[in-house]
Amino acid sequence: MHLRSERLADGVALLTLDNPDQRNAMSDEMTSAWVEAVEELAADREVRVVVVTGEGTAFCSGGNTSWIASEPDASVDSLRARMEPFYRAWLSVRRLQVPTIAAVNGPAIGAGLCLALACDIRYAAASARLGAPFVKLGMHPGMAATHLLPDVVGAAHARELLLTGRLVDADEALRIGLVSQVFADDTFADDVLAVARGVAATAPIASRYTKVALADGGHRDFETALRWEALAQPATLATADLQEGVRASREKRRPTFTGQ
């Protein structure tokens, strides 16, 4: 099905794009499997963090554009009817209430970059390259690139990347904020999973509320943020996890949160 979905220990789920012969391009089979996997993760209350990565040397080379080139007479309406469900299928990862991490182990190109952008956090292997070369293929950006990229790197960097279509290496991606950290290739998977386990160990209710607050770049004005936090923080103060967190801090131990 071109996708592997695994439940690891400590509440970590791993989704691996598994189409290495095509550099993990988003095949129809992979797309269907992705929708099913995200639905299952959304219903699994044991999952506390989701990591997305690619099999082999690539993260994701983007959508399979061969069908577009093979249908030169397709109408705008028929293409739109196919593209919008495709976008929504892959961007469904944004609906997950738990934190999501893109482990960019290799090239993340076009729609593949947008998948990484749809995750909450991005880490890159040292050899990774990232970019959205839509205009170099003669097409407008898709997969919400014109929203996701400015949201992550700011308008100026987004304009430059989308209008030139150029790729950036891992170090530049770190410099412009496209990724949060770069890890060595040979330890990349272990390093990202270590971070994921740390995220999974945080209080689940507080983590979910924080993700909601940060959606689409966070609250756009001070008063909205203040009103939200005046409601959300008391909601977490009323949890058993808060009491456990305070006890653990006093006892100088790691807390064990239950999501209650």
Side-chain angles (χ1 to χ4, degrees), residues 152-171:
V152 170
V153 302
H157 288 308
R159 288 191 187 101
E160 198 266 342
L161 292 175
L162 290 173
L163 292 173
T164 66
R166 73 181 183 90
L167 306 186
V168 299
D169 61 19
D171 287 339

Side-chain angles (χ1 to χ4, degrees), residues 4-227:
R4 298 200 313 274
S5 179
E6 305 168 76
R7 304 296 194 275
L8 308 182
D10 304 319
V12 178
L14 179 64
L15 290 178
T16 304
L17 310 183
D18 191 9
N19 187 18
D21 291 343
Q22 295 183 323
R23 299 177 69 76
N24 299 322
M26 295 161 162
S27 65
D28 290 344
E29 295 87 352
M30 186 189 288
T31 302
S32 297
W34 176 265
V35 171
E36 183 177 343
V38 170
E39 289 177 352
E40 291 175 355
L41 289 170
D44 189 341
R45 302 301 292 178
E46 299 300 315
V47 171
R48 296 191 178 185
V49 62
V50 175
V51 178
V52 180
T53 195
E55 179 63 30
T57 60
F59 176 74
C60 179
S61 60
N64 184 359
T65 58
S66 60
W67 66 268
I68 298 176
S70 68
E71 300 179 17
D73 298 325
S75 69
V76 170
D77 283 347
S78 66
L79 291 169
R80 180 181 181 276
R82 185 164 180 173
M83 295 310 298
E84 186 170 350
F86 175 76
Y87 299 160
R88 294 188 184 280
W90 283 98
L91 297 176
S92 63
V93 69
R94 285 167 56 86
R95 297 203 306 267
L96 292 176
Q97 294 184 1
V98 298
T100 55
I101 297 173
V104 183
N105 57 301
I109 309 300
L113 175 63
C114 294
L115 174 59
L117 291 168
C119 295
D120 298 309
I121 307 171
R122 286 154 297 284
Y123 298 111
S127 62
R129 290 171 63 80
L130 306 89
F134 294 101
V135 294
K136 288 188 173 182
L137 296 175
M139 67 174 71
H140 188 282
M143 192 78 81
T146 55
H147 170 81
L148 294 170
L149 194 55
D151 184 52
V152 170
V153 302
H157 288 308
R159 288 191 187 101
E160 198 266 342
L161 292 175
L162 290 173
L163 292 173
T164 66
R166 73 181 183 90
L167 306 186
V168 299
D169 61 19
D171 287 339
E172 184 175 0
L174 178 62
R175 179 176 61 80
I176 66 176
L178 188 52
V179 301
S180 294
Q181 197 166 346
V182 176
F183 296 114
D185 290 344
D186 56 351
T187 62
F188 179 70
D190 290 339
D191 289 339
V192 174
L193 288 177
V195 174
R197 286 191 291 271
V199 173
T202 63
I205 297 172
S207 179
R208 289 190 178 95
Y209 282 18
T210 302
K211 176 165 179 170
V212 170
L214 294 172
D216 293 326
H219 297 298
R220 296 303 185 187
D221 62 83
F222 175 81
E223 285 299 326
T224 302
L226 205 63
R227 287 194 296 271

